[in-house]
Amino acid sequence: MPIDPAKAVAAEPRSAEISWDHKDVQLYHLGLGAGTPATDPDELRYTLESRLHVLPSFATVAGAGMGVVGGLSAPGVDIDLAAVLHGGQSITLHRPVPVAGRAVTTSRVAAVYDKGKAAVLVLRSEVADADGPLWTSDAQIFVRGEGGWGGDRGPSERLELPGRDPDKTVERPVREDQALLYRLSGDWNPLHADPEFAALAGFDRPILHGLCTYGMTLKAVVDTMLGGDVARVRSYRTRFAGVVFPGETLRIRMWADEGRVQVTVTAVERADAPVLADTLVEHS
């Protein structure tokens, strides 16, 4: 089979030096839709180098790292990109992400799960600089048609939403060109730009990167529930429950409890079709 679970998990971790500066951070933020209105002081924190802070989800693209696509070239993994979807993502922050940095990322396939009609790869990256650990990220990669070998199905974590109306609901538009801008931060999968490739994957047009929705959602939580303070975020995880098409509108519902914000994200134009589920931001 194209995935050899034992070989993939047993492979030696791969380490690489990564670096980033304020231009990478600004480009990432712009790819999430930051900067509207352009002169809003709250938006300038994402776009102007003299005021810049770093949204923690930048960790998913910093220095490109192993990345979702890069991890699919790990030993024991040989699959068709058209069969791949990002199933989930988590980040644990050990310190705030600096505006500019140089670090070492150590990446490996942490697990391979058998979901029957699909396999799930857990790609783990641990990043540290000269001062110690910065963040740990896990990407759960859903590979259609690669399950069924009788392996471990893995965990199935579901979050029960509070039994009350959301504490806050906001809507965020996705620009028609947003996937084209976001991919400049390092995810070059043609699924997000090439209509012909999108058709091979079963979509009538390119879809937005799941990690773009992920970043947009965290920005909404930070801006509306955490007083705009990115340093308060301790961890952030989600399950990708559906796709987003450029030009749609995200409806982001948030429930605040002590030290955490639960979130759901839906696509407004498709009758609130689920986009992100089991989403949790833990904070100080």
Side-chain angles (χ1 to χ4, degrees), residues 1-3 68 72 77-87 112-123 140-149:
M1 58 187 286
I3 299 176
V68 172
L72 300 181
V77 179
D78 180 16
I79 55 182
D80 182 356
L81 274 180
V84 167
L85 286 174
H86 203 154
V112 182
Y113 297 126
D114 183 355
K115 298 296 187 180
K117 294 182 179 180
V120 172
L121 303 174
V122 179
L123 308 181
Q140 293 86 43
I141 306 303
F142 187 89
V143 189
R144 293 175 293 185
E146 297 299 335
W149 71 89

Side-chain angles (χ1 to χ4, degrees), residues 22 26 29 43-53:
H22 70 87
Q26 289 165 295
H29 290 160
E43 293 300 314
L44 289 173
R45 295 176 303 181
Y46 295 102
T47 58
L48 184 62
E49 55 273 17
S50 61
R51 305 185 191 181
L52 199 60
H53 65 194

